[in-house]
């Protein structure tokens, strides 16, 4: 132990209380021993430090900070150097605002395009997600602030996010859902990690020994702190046994009492408690030490400029027919779309930042050499039809050389706590686009949105520039590209299928009742489309440039590849060179291609560079479920280099010695996994893959403490069903208004037990059991527990506080 001396002085009560939050964002200090507290803040693309009282979804005002493009956006840059610069800026702002732990980056896998938080996550590919996360983590931590990659793990849906069980096989877990975290921990050196809300194969992530002990600590050598997601702890004693260090946000002293009781009755070893305290103490002491090294400025203008450069480097040019872009100087343009006036630049939820400054296309366009002949909002962002706006837009469109149409996903589509139900843009936006196309066929679509969408309307646009959610300086960045000042170099970090029905998890997402069954296994995103030859609108890795690049002279040795890339066009620009690996006729089923390396390279017109992409320990590996370790299959691998997963320019073969002596599967029992046609995997085949039967996820009978409020529709108590109805009505009305009410969504999805974790000691677990009794129709019995529990809780809280302030408690 690093801090044995301090730990020896601590009472058991102090140790137990130390392991949970004091307020919404901070930990408990122990002044008697000179132990200070640390302060955490969201979030991944800006600092959301609340000035007054904290509420974790950010309804209360937060202090201004730079709103960088979200992770889904920056992933399109494929630029680790840029990620590091953003990380450094985030670290500087965190330090300036006295924040010691920054709750990000988020690197869950974009399993389905519909996950409500996809805008906060990097990619459908774990390698790219991991590498980008590393760059943020290194940047943030270089400023003396801990990064806290989240949400560990398999947290790819929002529906009942706090109470659902992700069911998947070990290989899929390792290869798809953990690899990004592995890279973040091993290469990024993350000092903190946030456990996710959900269960993984029946055990809450925060108390999952396999995830937190076997993999995170033992295999990856993580020696930092594990922090629960807000309200995500189920049983803190089990959390401590799994070496989860900090329960957030405000469970009061109830969890601490449970820990003390568990050490007294022997169900929790003192050694486990001490280890957890030691990790957290180390973080608190190191972070407070770093804080002393002096205050830093917010550097508002520098960071705004960086946000702009980042948005420009990340925007993806999807289409550019007849080279309509870049726009000609002096051309007559009509600017149409509500997003030109009020941009969509970030998603809703805990990551929402109050920007220091906000650019809009409406204002920024005046700084460019265009003849702006008119501007119209064109459509209502809440989806209703508006004939006068539509007429106004069509009138100005008719007179323009080019129409800039600013549109995309609306606010309700990208919300923490709620998944989308389809992949389309709002119908009124598409109808207006089609109407404009009737009067002017020179339309340049400027898209906003942090997740994949269906684009059947692409034929209405001559060009499409996708800015994703481009942060506070996105408008200037888009105009820099449209005007040709900057050559676009973003490449998609996710696939754009033709229609939602084509996606691999279509049948399995979000979840049936309790279980989210990951039946598609390793075939996520392009791993499925590419293997099965499913045509997509825009493939993973795709993006156009105003110049062109040629690839030649591919050389391969044991260490990696070298390839000569030349800018053959007449403009300077950057290319993202991508390396994919495949093993035709593999004995262990696998996708046709997997990304195993990339490099972004800037080339002047006519310039060539020899690009080196190294192999690493992930290049040829697969997870063998028979031997329970990473193995390499022997064979002749294809090393493919290209500009997207569907645009492979050069291929060479490489003989690789394998490690496998025992093969994990019998192909006859997994026929569909062997073909990749996984949209309708039978129970039997899924069970073969899992290696056990599918757990029963049916809801029935009485509700338990882990069931969510939104399940009360089958509660025995009329009162509970009535409350459910009120909440559901309010949620529906709110959705119709088009402005997400985050707290309502949170309440809707919250499991009963989490009430005790987020009420600052007002509610304890025995009261929660009372509430559940009431919900199950045992009103008097339940109310008895709630009322009795309430008074008992106040008394125990006081008694515990007294012990804490006296410093006289149980000794080891
Ligand atoms: C989110 C986390 C966030 C935390 C604190 C949770 O609801 O899932 O990503 O860091 O709240 O705001």
């Amino acid at each position: 132990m690093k801090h044995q001396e301090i730990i020896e002085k601590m009472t058991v009560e102090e140790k137990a209380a130390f392991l949970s939050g004091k307020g919404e964002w901070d930990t408990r200090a122990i002044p008697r021993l000179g132990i200070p507290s640390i302060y955490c803040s969201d979030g991944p693309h800006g600092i959301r430090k609340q000035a007054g009282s904290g509420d974790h979804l950010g309804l209360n005002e937060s202090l201004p900070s730079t709103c960088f493009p979200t992770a889904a956006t920056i992933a399109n840059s494929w630029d680790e150097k840029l990620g590091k610069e953003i990380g450094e800026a985030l670290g500087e702002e965190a330090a300036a605002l006295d924040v010691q732990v920054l709750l990000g980056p988020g690197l869950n896998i974009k399993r389905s395009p519909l996950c409500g938080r996809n805008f906060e996550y990097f990619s459908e590919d774990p390698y790219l997600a991991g590498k980008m996360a590393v760059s943020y983590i290194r940047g943030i931590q270089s400023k003396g602030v801990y990064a806290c990659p989240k949400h560990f793990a398999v947290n790819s849906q929002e529906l009942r996010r706090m109470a659902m069980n992700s069911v998947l096989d070990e290989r899929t877990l390792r290869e798809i859902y953990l690899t990004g975290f592995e890279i973040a921990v091993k290469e990024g050196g993350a000092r903190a990690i946030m456990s996710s809300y959900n269960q993984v194969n029946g055990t809450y992530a925060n108390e999952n020994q396999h995830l937190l002990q076997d993999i995170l600590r033992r295999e990856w050598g993580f020696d930092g702190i594990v922090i629960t997601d807000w309200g995500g702890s189920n049983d803190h004693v089990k959390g401590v046994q799994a070496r989860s260090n900090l329960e957030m946000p405000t469970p009061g002293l109830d969890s601490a009492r449970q820990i003390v009781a568990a050490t007294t009755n022997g169900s929790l070893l003192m050694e486990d408690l001490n280890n957890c305290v030691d990790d957290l103490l180390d973080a608190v002491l190191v972070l407070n030490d770093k804080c002393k090294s002096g205050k830093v400025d917010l550097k508002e203008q520098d960071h705004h400029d960086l946000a702009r450069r980042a948005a420009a480097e990340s925007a993806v040019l999807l289409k550019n027919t007849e080279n309509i872009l870049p726009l000609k100087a002096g051309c007559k343009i009509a600017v149409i779309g509500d997003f030109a006036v009020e941009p969509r630049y970030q998603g809703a939820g805990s990551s929402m930042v109050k920007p220091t400054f906000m650019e809009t296309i409406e204002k920024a366009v005046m700084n460019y050499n265009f003849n702006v002949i008119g501007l119209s909002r064109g459509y209502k962002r809440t989806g209703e039809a508006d004939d006068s706006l539509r007429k106004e837009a069509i009138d100005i469109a008719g007179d323009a050389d080019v129409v800039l149409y600013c549109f995309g996903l609306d606010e309700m589509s990208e919300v923490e706590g709620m998944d989308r139900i389809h992949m389309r843009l709002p119908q009124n936006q598409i109808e207006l686009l089609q109407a404009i196309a009737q009067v002017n066929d020179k339309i340049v679509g400027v898209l906003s949105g942090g997740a994949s969408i269906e684009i059947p309307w692409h034929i209405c646009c001559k060009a499409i520039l996708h800015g994703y959610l481009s942060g506070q300086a996105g408008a200037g960045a888009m105009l820099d590209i449209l005007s040709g000042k900057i050559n676009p170099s973003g490449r998609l970090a996710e696939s754009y299928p033709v229609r939602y029905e084509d996606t691999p998890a279509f049948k399995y997402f979000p979840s049936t009742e309790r279980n989210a069954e990951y039946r598609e296994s390793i075939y996520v995103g392009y791993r499925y489309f590419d293997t099965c030859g499913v045509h997509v609108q825009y493939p993973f890795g795709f993006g156009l440039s105003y110049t062109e690049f040629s690839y030649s002279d591919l050389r391969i040795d044991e260490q990696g590849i070298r390839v000569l890339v030349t800018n053959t066009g007449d403009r300077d620009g950057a290319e993202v060179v991508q390396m994919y690996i495949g093993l035709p006729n593999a004995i262990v089923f696998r996708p046709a291609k997997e990304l195993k390396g990339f490099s972004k390279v800037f080339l002047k017109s006519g310039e060539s560079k020899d690009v080196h992409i190294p192999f690493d320990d992930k290049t040829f590996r697969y997870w063998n479920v028979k031997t329970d370790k990473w193995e390499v299959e022997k064979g002749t691998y294809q090393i493919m280099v290209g500009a997207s997963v569907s645009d492979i320019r050069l291929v060479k073969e490489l003989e690789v010695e394998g490690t496998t002596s025992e093969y994990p599967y019998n192909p006859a029992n997994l026929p569909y996994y062997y073909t990749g046609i996984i949209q309708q995997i039978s129970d039997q085949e899924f069970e073969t893959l899992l290696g056990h039967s599918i757990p029963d996820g049916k809801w029935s009978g009485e509700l338990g403490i882990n069931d969510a409020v939104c399940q009360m529709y089958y509660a025995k108590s009329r009162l509970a069903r009535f409350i459910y109805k009120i909440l559901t009505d309010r949620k529906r009305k709110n959705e119709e208004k088009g402005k997400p009410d985050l707290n309502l969504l949170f309440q809707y999805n919250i499991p009963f037990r989490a009430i005790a974790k987020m009420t600052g000691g007002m509610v304890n677990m025995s009261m929660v059991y009372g509430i559940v009794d009431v919900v199950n129709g045992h009103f008097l019995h339940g109310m008895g527990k709630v009322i009795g529990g309430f008074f008992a809780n106040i008394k125990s809280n006081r008694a515990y506080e007294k012990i804490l302030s006296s410093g006289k408690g149980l000794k080891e």
Side-chain angles (χ1 to χ4, degrees):
M1 277 194 303
K2 287 185 183 154
H3 303 283
Q4 185 147 4
E5 236 180 81
I6 305 180
I7 292 175
E8 276 170 5
K9 291 188 194 138
M10 290 171 87
T11 64
V12 180
E13 285 85 350
E14 281 169 336
K15 292 178 195 172
F18 184 55
L19 298 182
S20 49
K22 177 158 190 273
E24 193 62 41
W25 305 108
D26 54 346
T27 64
R28 263 173 214 283
I30 307 181
R32 171 180 93 81
L33 298 170
I35 302 170
S37 73
I38 48 172
Y39 194 95
C40 311
S41 240
D42 287 305
H45 60 267
I47 315 300
R48 183 174 69 87
K49 182 169 183 187
Q50 291 180 317
S53 61
D55 66 287
H56 95 279
L57 288 173
L59 292 190
N60 293 338
E61 272 283 90
S62 53
L63 298 169
S65 70
T66 311
C67 179
F68 290 95
T70 71
T73 318
I74 299 298
N76 294 331
S77 76
W78 298 61
D79 187 342
E80 296 159 85
K81 207 171 135 272
L82 176 71
K84 178 145 185 278
E85 283 181 76
I86 295 175
E88 284 163 358
L90 288 169
E92 278 170 7
E93 294 199 20
L97 291 168
D98 266 333
V99 168
Q100 281 97 32
V101 181
L102 187 58
L103 304 174
L107 62 150
N108 293 103
I109 290 295
K110 293 185 168 203
R111 174 189 179 212
S112 162
L114 299 190
C115 171
R117 279 185 102 170
N118 274 355
F119 70 92
E120 274 189 73
Y121 302 146
F122 290 110
S123 178
E124 66 189 26
D125 181 84
Y127 192 84
L128 178 57
K131 291 288 176 178
M132 292 309 294
V134 166
S135 67
Y136 275 60
I137 294 165
R138 287 192 180 149
I140 294 168
Q141 296 193 161
S142 72
K143 301 293 166 184
V145 171
Y146 280 7
C148 183
K150 62 190 187 183
H151 312 86
F152 189 65
V154 210
N155 180 195
S156 294
Q157 86 175 41
E158 288 302 285
L159 183 73
R160 287 187 302 280
R161 61 184 178 142
M162 298 174 86
M164 66 86 190
N165 179 25
S166 297
V167 178
L168 76 174
D169 65 289
E170 184 73 14
R171 178 174 174 208
T172 304
L173 174 72
R174 300 282 191 150
E175 292 187 17
I176 305 294
Y177 295 94
L178 297 189
T179 292
F181 284 101
E182 178 185 353
I183 298 173
V185 167
K186 286 199 200 155
E187 291 176 33
R191 299 298 305 144
I193 200 161
M194 184 187 287
S195 57
S196 59
Y197 283 134
N198 51 291
Q199 295 178 318
V200 179
N201 290 326
T203 308
Y204 280 98
N206 186 60
E207 54 204 45
N208 197 310
Q209 293 275 345
H210 184 48
L211 278 183
L212 298 188
Q213 293 276 37
D214 301 345
I215 299 177
L216 178 68
R217 300 231 183 230
R218 282 186 213 115
E219 277 182 34
W220 301 349
F222 176 79
D223 67 349
I225 49 170
V226 175
I227 305 179
T228 72
D229 198 346
W230 267 229
S233 162
N234 168 53
D235 177 336
H236 199 28
V237 173
K238 289 190 183 147
V240 171
Q241 278 161 345
R243 207 150 167 179
S244 166
N245 307 88
L246 179 60
E247 183 188 45
M248 289 302 283
T250 49
L253 291 162
D254 197 33
S255 296
R257 280 193 293 268
Q258 289 163 27
I259 292 175
V260 175
T263 53
T264 316
N265 69 27
S267 55
L268 176 67
L269 299 178
M270 191 55 77
E271 190 192 343
D272 288 344
L273 178 59
N274 286 345
N275 283 337
C276 271
V277 171
D278 193 40
D279 299 332
L280 185 58
L281 257 180
D282 193 58
V284 167
L285 298 175
V286 167
L287 286 167
N288 274 279
D289 216 39
K290 287 189 170 153
C291 277
K292 284 188 205 130
S293 53
K295 279 264 174 303
V296 240
D297 290 340
L298 214 49
K299 294 194 185 153
E300 274 185 24
Q301 187 58 48
D302 289 358
H303 290 176
H304 182 81
D305 295 345
L306 172 61
R308 178 164 170 165
R309 178 155 59 82
E313 261 210 56
S314 308
V316 186
L317 182 61
L318 295 177
K319 180 173 180 181
N320 193 15
T321 318
E322 294 155 21
N323 289 334
I324 187 174
L325 292 179
L327 298 172
K328 304 213 168 31
C331 72
K332 282 198 290 179
I333 62 172
V335 179
I336 297 177
D338 202 40
F339 290 6
V341 184
E342 281 174 51
R344 271 228 54 237
Y345 61 99
Q346 62 175 337
S350 58
S351 66
M352 214 161 174
V353 171
K354 182 177 178 190
T356 54
F357 186 74
M358 196 63 230
E359 289 186 12
T360 68
I361 297 248
E362 177 192 24
K363 299 213 173 93
V365 73
M366 299 307 172
N367 303 330
Y368 291 79
N369 188 7
F370 299 132
N371 178 6
V372 181
I373 61 163
L375 179 133
S376 166
R377 286 186 182 245
Y379 58 81
K380 286 211 154 142
R381 68 205 290 136
T382 39
E384 315 90 285
D386 188 315
D387 287 343
S388 72
L389 275 182
R390 177 185 160 102
K391 181 169 178 319
E392 179 185 82
I394 294 171
D395 285 350
I396 60 166
D399 296 330
D401 295 336
V402 174
V403 175
L404 271 196
Y405 186 52
C406 304
F407 65 138
L409 286 173
D410 57 13
E411 272 76 7
M412 285 310 285
S413 304
E414 302 192 86
V415 182
E416 179 173 334
M418 193 168 77
D419 298 311
R420 279 190 290 168
I421 48 172
H422 61 73
M423 268 181 79
R424 299 184 296 277
L425 289 188
Q427 190 56 23
N428 64 338
Q429 297 186 20
I430 297 170
E431 280 167 10
L432 178 63
L433 173 65
Q434 287 165 334
I436 297 172
Q438 302 291 317
V439 299
N440 191 334
D441 69 349
K442 297 218 165 36
I443 301 176
V444 173
V446 181
L447 264 180
S448 303
S452 179
I453 50 171
E454 287 170 7
I455 312 196
W457 40 260
H458 62 94
I459 38 168
C460 297
C461 297
K462 278 259 184 298
I464 304 173
L465 176 62
H466 199 344
Y468 267 71
L469 294 179
S470 52
Q472 67 181 49
M478 294 310 111
L479 286 158
D480 282 347
I481 293 176
L482 296 170
S483 65
K485 192 170 159 199
I486 289 181
N487 190 351
S489 63
R491 305 289 185 260
L492 293 175
E494 63 190 325
S495 314
Y496 275 62
V498 174
R499 22 175 225 151
Y500 176 54
E501 291 75 0
D502 292 343
T503 59
F506 168 64
K507 282 265 165 64
Y508 322 127
F509 183 90
S511 56
T512 38
E513 306 200 337
R514 218 175 290 286
N515 291 340
E517 294 174 357
Y518 284 57
R519 290 195 187 210
E520 73 283 4
S521 171
I522 54 175
Y523 296 102
V524 175
Y526 73 85
R527 283 173 164 74
Y528 166 69
F529 301 122
D530 183 64
T531 305
C532 287
V534 177
H535 173 66
V536 293
Q537 191 67 51
Y538 299 111
F540 176 81
F542 172 79
L544 300 172
S545 160
Y546 294 154
T547 186
E548 279 176 13
F549 301 92
S550 74
Y551 291 59
S552 60
D553 196 17
L554 174 62
R555 283 143 291 152
I556 300 179
D557 62 24
E558 309 265 283
Q559 267 72 51
I561 66 155
R562 283 182 194 279
V563 61
L564 195 69
V565 182
T566 306
N567 179 346
T568 54
D570 53 10
R571 277 170 180 270
D572 303 347
E575 171 71 327
V576 177
V577 182
Q578 301 160 38
M579 178 180 77
Y580 296 90
I581 303 288
L583 178 60
N585 307 316
I587 296 174
V588 180
F589 71 82
R590 59 194 293 152
K593 296 188 194 94
E594 291 186 279
L595 180 80
K596 296 293 178 166
F598 60 91
S599 171
K600 188 165 195 175
V601 32
F602 178 83
L603 294 167
K604 291 201 168 300
S605 164
E607 190 187 0
S608 298
K609 258 187 202 160
D610 211 28
V611 176
H612 172 56
I613 302 178
F615 295 148
D616 60 24
D617 61 325
K618 291 164 198 79
T619 311
F620 301 105
R621 75 180 194 180
Y622 75 95
W623 183 261
N624 187 329
V625 289
K626 199 57 155 283
T627 56
D628 226 9
K629 58 180 191 222
W630 292 108
E631 299 246 23
V632 173
E633 183 174 334
K634 175 181 166 53
T636 310
Y637 284 77
Q638 290 203 317
I639 315 294
M640 296 163 271
V641 184
S644 85
V645 72
S646 311
D647 183 9
I648 297 301
R649 306 285 180 87
L650 299 167
V651 183
K652 275 210 165 168
E653 291 186 340
L654 181 72
E655 289 296 326
V656 177
E657 277 308 312
T659 60
T660 308
S661 51
E662 264 187 285
Y663 284 95
Y665 308 121
N666 175 354
N669 297 335
L670 298 168
Y672 288 97
Y673 287 115
Y674 266 84
T675 57
I677 304 170
I678 41 64
Q679 273 202 321
Q680 302 208 44
I681 293 289
S682 66
D683 287 359
Q684 196 192 355
E685 193 166 340
F686 187 43
E687 292 190 337
T688 307
L689 184 77
L690 287 175
H692 53 77
S693 51
I694 301 169
D696 180 13
K698 288 258 177 306
W699 287 341
S700 55
E702 304 219 315
L703 288 136
I705 56 161
N706 288 322
D707 289 316
V709 167
C710 61
Q711 285 170 249
M712 288 199 306
Y713 66 82
Y714 68 85
K716 291 225 174 71
S717 147
R718 271 206 201 155
L719 176 67
R721 291 200 305 272
F722 182 64
I723 294 173
Y724 165 80
K725 195 173 163 307
I726 296 176
L727 284 174
T728 308
D729 282 351
R730 278 182 55 201
K731 184 170 160 280
R732 187 181 39 76
K733 286 199 186 117
N734 181 240
E735 280 165 25
E736 282 164 9
K737 271 200 228 138
K739 276 241 178 285
D741 178 339
L742 301 167
N743 270 356
L744 181 63
L745 281 172
F746 194 79
Q747 287 157 11
Y748 200 71
N749 282 315
I750 199 174
F752 298 104
R753 57 142 164 101
I755 301 173
K757 308 291 183 187
M758 307 190 76
T759 38
M762 294 266 292
V763 177
N764 65 7
M765 279 310 284
S766 43
M767 291 164 74
V768 168
Y769 280 105
I771 295 171
V772 172
D773 283 347
V774 171
V775 167
N776 285 324
H778 315 296
F779 185 80
L780 290 178
H781 187 69
M783 281 315 283
K785 277 195 199 162
V786 173
I787 295 167
F790 178 76
F791 290 108
N793 185 40
I794 294 183
K795 207 166 147 208
S796 332
N797 282 346
R798 279 200 196 123
Y800 203 122
E801 289 288 4
K802 212 163 156 195
I803 296 176
L804 283 183
S805 54
S806 71
K808 290 189 195 115
L810 296 168
K811 281 289 188 184
E812 228 178 273

